[in-house]
Amino acid sequence: MLYNELLGLWNESVQAVDAKDWEGALAKLEQITEPTSRTHFNAALAHLALGQTDMALRSLDFTIAKDERLAVAFFQRAALMMQVDRLEEALSDCIWAQKHMRGNVVIDYRQLGLRYKLYSWQVLYNAAAVYSRMGQWEQAMDILLSATQERGQGRVGNIEVAFKSIERKEALNPLMVPEGLVFRPRKQEIEQLHQRDFLGKAKVISSMIPNDDFGGFEPLRQQKPGFYEPKTDGAQESRYMRVRVPYMARGPGQLTVPGGAMVFLFGEEDRDGMINVIHDGQRGLLPLSLLEPADVKKSRSRKNHLPSGIPLPPELKPPSRPPTQRSSAAPPRVSPSTETPPPSYNTATHAQSASGPPRYTANAASSQAGSPQGEEAGSVVVKVHFTYNIALSVPLYTPYHELKERIAEKVGHSASQLRLRHKQHGSRVLTPLPGEVEPGRSVQEVTEAGRVTLWCQREDALANRTILYQMVALYDYAAQGPEDLEFSEGDTIDILGEVNQEWLEGHCAGNIGIFPCCFAYRENNNIIQEF
């Protein structure tokens, strides 16, 4: 059963209880297919009001089965047990009610919807009433004496009357929840049962369709090739009027319209015979006697006018390539003896094999030194990854120390503080350039297809530190503290030491710190270098 359906039936039963319609309240409660402890309690009170004690006890049994800690249910059932002389069970319910008071002086059930406060002295009073019906007057007196120690509204008068009854050995009448007090649903939930229009009704504020007063929702209209024009019914077409004779504005709010012009009626005729119209994007007043109905269909004929409406989107087919027109004149032929290869096919191409890809050789570079093309082919483009990326062109046989000085000049640091690395083919590890200070070692050794990609790092933090080996970052690692080393996936980390089995000390991008070893993997075990 849906919760809103339960709330609706529950609320209707409470309204019947307020009107003293106990049978109507029971009829609504019986329609609830999944009753709660509170609806069962309400049914017990309705049965009790009708004098159906057995049915009331049955409903209270269901209430306690649903909620075993509802003290007011035990309290109410104890009172009914005394009425049917089931004293042992009544005493047991009093004991359970006192236990579920959990040491509190009072329990206020208003938060659950019952406008009733159950006091601990009331539970003790009913226990004394049970003992009085059993004839155990001393036990009843002791229970009443303990009830005098409790606090609560109405305690003094009821306890004093009970003492006098016990002295006369008269049985006490039990206390119970007053008639008409039932569990009520929350007011906020009842208010939400009524449907609300939070969005409101759509209203046309501005439209290209004249007199468009459509409100609501409409499915998308199927588009057809050409132009889409809104459909107009007879009422809209009749609001297009034509001015029979020219009219000059004679007062505020009036329009000056030439004869034969078409206008659209925007409002209704007023007492002075004027009517609101729209002409040429302006709104104003015109005498209704000067207007006559216009034939909208003829004026909108596509034969004499350009298409109007909303154009459809262009088709998704790509444009076709225009046909190539060959010239009738044949190109001049060059004799084999005077034919020369194009500039890109120089002596460097003759060094390649018939089956392999072209390779650049030193002999080819030396043979091109005298030509502009040879000078351009004898240089390589060096891309350097630093804090920012830089690119420069250097000769092919530039020594490493000269390349390092040029890079240092570009980045604004001393060459002694920089360290150049590169990635070998098929590897992700950054390895230092071989022999940066050795003469005879040049860029040509690491050149591939006329390009070199290097990584440049400052080595201030690595002074007098030994790199044990290198690892490649598997994942991004964000520093959790000032001692952590932060890096990104794919970065090469210089391992400076092992903190323990799970943490390593490393260097990356000029920073030194510790990081979990599971965030990187070791690819090369032979890199050991001391600075």
Side-chain angles (χ1 to χ4, degrees):
M1 186 177 188
L2 297 179
Y3 185 63
N4 58 351
E5 297 177 357
L6 186 147
L7 283 178
L9 294 174
W10 185 6
N11 184 52
E12 292 175 3
S13 67
V14 170
Q15 293 176 357
V17 169
D18 294 339
K20 303 299 180 180
D21 183 10
W22 307 109
E23 294 181 355
L26 289 174
K28 293 296 182 183
L29 292 173
E30 289 175 356
Q31 296 179 18
I32 300 177
T33 57
E34 298 178 3
T36 64
S37 60
R38 289 179 283 181
T39 58
H40 279 308
F41 188 88
N42 291 358
L45 295 182
H47 284 299
L48 185 60
L50 293 174
Q52 303 171 358
T53 307
D54 294 338
M55 298 298 296
L57 284 173
R58 185 170 177 270
S59 296
L60 286 174
D61 292 340
F62 289 139
T63 303
I64 295 173
K66 288 285 186 179
D67 189 352
E68 298 178 353
R69 292 174 176 79
L70 193 61
V72 69
F74 286 100
F75 173 77
Q76 187 74 0
R77 192 172 69 171
L80 293 182
M81 290 294 186
M82 282 186 274
Q83 291 183 1
V84 295
D85 292 332
R86 296 165 62 177
L87 302 180
E88 295 292 340
E89 298 177 53
L91 182 60
S92 176
D93 283 344
C94 290
I95 295 174
W96 280 108
Q98 186 66 21
K99 179 181 178 180
H100 292 310
M101 291 290 293
R102 298 184 295 276
N104 296 315
V105 177
V106 60
I107 295 180
D108 191 353
Y109 287 95
R110 283 183 298 180
Q111 295 182 354
L112 296 179
L114 180 63
R115 300 170 185 172
Y116 182 74
K117 294 181 180 179
L118 178 63
Y119 294 91
S120 60
W121 71 264
Q122 294 175 328
V123 179
L124 295 175
Y125 182 94
N126 277 6
V130 175
Y131 283 116
S132 68
R133 291 172 181 267
M134 290 180 176
Q136 301 179 12
W137 306 106
E138 293 182 0
Q139 291 286 346
M141 185 65 71
D142 292 340
I143 295 297
L144 287 177
L145 287 175
S146 62
T148 58
Q149 306 299 325
E150 301 290 337
R151 295 175 297 174
Q153 184 179 3
R155 173 184 58 84
V156 178
N158 289 299
I159 296 298
E160 291 178 356
V161 174
F163 273 124
K164 294 179 181 179
S165 299
I166 294 299
E167 291 175 356
R168 295 193 299 268
K169 296 186 178 181
E170 295 177 356
L172 302 179
N173 293 324
L175 301 177
M176 62 178 59
V177 178
E179 182 181 296
L181 292 183
V182 293
F183 284 99
R184 299 173 181 270
R186 295 180 59 189
K187 183 179 179 180
Q188 296 84 347
E189 294 180 344
I190 297 301
E191 292 176 351
Q192 293 179 1
L193 291 178
H194 305 289
Q195 294 184 356
R196 296 183 181 181
D197 188 6
F198 292 99
L199 298 178
K201 185 178 179 181
K203 182 180 179 181
V204 176
I205 303 301
S206 177
S207 175
M208 65 173 295
I209 305 175
N211 196 28
D212 190 356
D213 57 354
F214 172 77
F217 297 93
E218 184 183 33
L220 294 177
R221 302 173 183 175
Q222 184 179 4
Q223 295 182 348
K224 298 180 180 180
F227 284 79
Y228 163 73
E229 293 187 1
K231 297 180 180 180
T232 58
D233 53 11
Q236 289 185 350
E237 292 181 359
S238 63
R239 302 191 68 86
Y240 285 97
M241 308 293 285
R242 189 180 302 277
V243 183
R244 294 184 296 175
V245 294
Y247 179 77
M248 182 70 66
R250 301 176 183 176
Q254 298 185 6
L255 292 178
T256 299
V257 182
M262 183 177 297
V263 297
F264 181 79
L265 301 184
F266 191 76
E268 302 296 335
E269 182 182 4
D270 58 12
R271 296 181 180 179
D272 299 332
M274 307 294 286
I275 189 171
N276 265 315
V277 300
I278 296 178
H279 171 67
D280 197 17
Q282 296 181 356
R283 177 180 173 182
L285 297 172
L286 282 179
L288 184 59
S289 59
L290 301 181
L291 304 179
E292 61 181 4
D295 190 356
V296 182
K297 294 182 179 180
K298 291 184 178 179
S299 63
R300 291 188 178 181
S301 176
R302 294 187 179 180
K303 296 181 179 179
N304 301 324
H305 295 79
L306 293 177
S308 60
I310 305 173
L312 297 180
E315 296 182 358
L316 299 180
K317 296 181 180 179
S320 58
R321 185 180 297 276
T324 305
Q325 297 182 357
R326 297 185 178 181
S327 176
S328 58
R333 300 183 61 183
V334 182
S335 61
S337 59
T338 60
E339 184 177 0
T340 57
S344 58
Y345 289 86
N346 43 39
T347 55
T349 60
H350 298 290
Q352 65 181 13
S353 61
S355 59
R359 297 182 59 187
Y360 195 88
T361 60
N363 294 334
S366 60
S367 63
Q368 298 174 16
S371 62
Q373 294 83 357
E375 294 178 357
E376 181 179 357
S379 61
V380 294
V381 176
V382 181
K383 181 180 180 180
V384 182
H385 294 276
F386 192 57
T387 308
Y388 48 87
N389 295 339
I390 61 175
L392 63 158
S393 178
V394 298
L396 180 64
Y397 293 99
T398 301
Y400 284 133
H401 66 277
E402 293 184 7
L403 175 62
K404 191 173 184 180
E405 291 177 356
R406 292 194 58 179
I407 295 175
E409 182 181 356
K410 287 280 187 180
V411 299
H413 294 283
S414 173
S416 60
Q417 299 178 354
L418 299 181
R419 184 185 184 193
L420 299 180
R421 304 183 186 184
H422 78 289
K423 288 184 180 180
Q424 296 181 357
H425 184 72
S427 174
R428 298 178 63 181
V429 175
L430 295 176
T431 58
L433 288 180
E436 295 184 8
V437 297
E438 297 180 9
R441 310 297 293 271
S442 64
V443 184
Q444 188 265 346
E445 298 178 1
V446 293
T447 300
E448 293 183 4
R451 295 178 180 272
V452 178
T453 302
L454 302 177
W455 280 260
C456 179
Q457 296 178 347
R458 295 187 60 186
E459 299 301 333
D460 296 343
L462 287 180
N464 301 323
R465 298 298 300 270
T466 301
I467 299 178
L468 302 179
Y469 52 88
Q470 290 181 329
M471 301 182 73
V472 179
L474 286 172
Y475 318 101
D476 296 343
Y477 180 68
Q480 306 296 324
E483 70 280 358
D484 287 1
L485 177 64
E486 186 169 344
F487 50 80
S488 302
E489 179 183 356
D491 289 350
T492 299
I493 307 171
D494 301 325
I495 305 303
L496 306 179
E498 298 180 354
V499 180
N500 52 34
Q501 294 181 354
E502 298 178 353
W503 289 81
L504 301 174
E505 182 184 17
H507 165 265
C508 181
N511 300 319
I512 293 179
I514 62 175
F515 67 95
C517 60
C518 59
F519 276 72
Y521 74 96
R522 186 172 178 179
E523 181 176 303
N524 192 352
N525 299 332
N526 300 324
I527 299 178
I528 298 178
Q529 187 169 352
E530 184 175 354
F531 288 83

